[in-house]
């Protein structure tokens, strides 16, 4: 082993029966590079799908069957992007808490007020 520099990575594909696949290592090996490439392809395909969806939503001649097909592909893409976000988030280092607010540096007393200032309920789409 490499003396504690190893981590567990959720891979961007599933195993038998849809079970998650994990890789234990230092993130520099062949399989890590393959996973990075697969993630890159998945993110690129998701971006292209978003552009295609925007075009389709502006086209008033699109059929219900076409929209259902688009929705199914978007579910697949969102599942991929969610898995990538989970994997990358799990590999982030947690910031040290210095007692002067949360990880973003905000004081805990002002955090709710500051969030309200930055994300007003009206027009944000959040209830």
């Amino acid at each position: 082993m490499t003396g504690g520099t190893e981590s567990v990575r959720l891979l961007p594909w599933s195993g038998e029966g849809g079970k998650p696949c994990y890789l234990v290592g230092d993130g520099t090996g062949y399989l890590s590079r393959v996973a990075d490439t697969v993630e890159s392809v998945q993110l690129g395909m998701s971006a292209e799908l978003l552009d295609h969806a925007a075009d389709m939503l502006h086209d008033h001649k699109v059929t219900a069957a076409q929209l259902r097909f688009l929705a199914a592909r978007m579910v697949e893409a969102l599942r991929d992007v969610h898995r990538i976000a989970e994997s990358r988030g799990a590999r982030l280092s947690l910031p040290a808490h210095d007692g002067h607010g949360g990880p973003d540096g905000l004081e805990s007393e002002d955090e709710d007020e500051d969030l309200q200032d930055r994300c007003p309920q009206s027009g944000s789409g959040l209830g």
Side-chain angles (χ1 to χ4, degrees):
M1 291 288 143
T2 61
T5 60
E6 295 187 344
S7 63
V8 177
R9 175 182 184 171
L10 175 65
L11 294 172
W13 55 79
S14 299
E16 188 176 322
K19 293 181 181 179
C21 292
Y22 295 91
L23 173 64
V24 176
D26 63 3
T28 61
Y30 174 77
L31 195 53
S32 290
R33 291 190 302 276
V34 170
D36 290 341
T37 300
V38 170
E39 286 180 356
S40 180
V41 168
Q42 289 173 328
L43 291 172
M45 290 172 58
S46 295
E48 290 176 16
L49 184 58
L50 283 172
D51 291 341
H52 182 63
D55 292 342
M56 284 186 74
L57 291 174
H58 291 335
D59 182 357
H60 297 290
K61 296 178 184 175
V62 173
T63 67
Q66 290 171 317
L67 288 174
R68 276 193 301 278
F69 184 80
L70 173 66
R73 302 299 71 82
M74 291 183 79
V75 165
E76 293 167 356
L78 184 56
R79 187 174 292 120
D80 290 343
V81 170
H82 182 265
R83 179 182 291 260
I84 292 167
E86 256 188 308
S87 177
R88 292 182 180 183
R91 288 181 277 146
L92 291 176
S93 300
L94 294 177
H97 187 352
D98 62 4
H100 298 292
D104 58 1
L106 296 174
E107 295 293 329
S108 59
E109 297 170 359
D110 300 332
E111 192 168 341
D112 290 335
E113 291 173 11
D114 187 56
L115 182 60
Q116 260 186 335
D117 292 340
R118 290 184 287 157
C119 303
Q121 288 184 359
S122 60
S124 70
L126 301 175

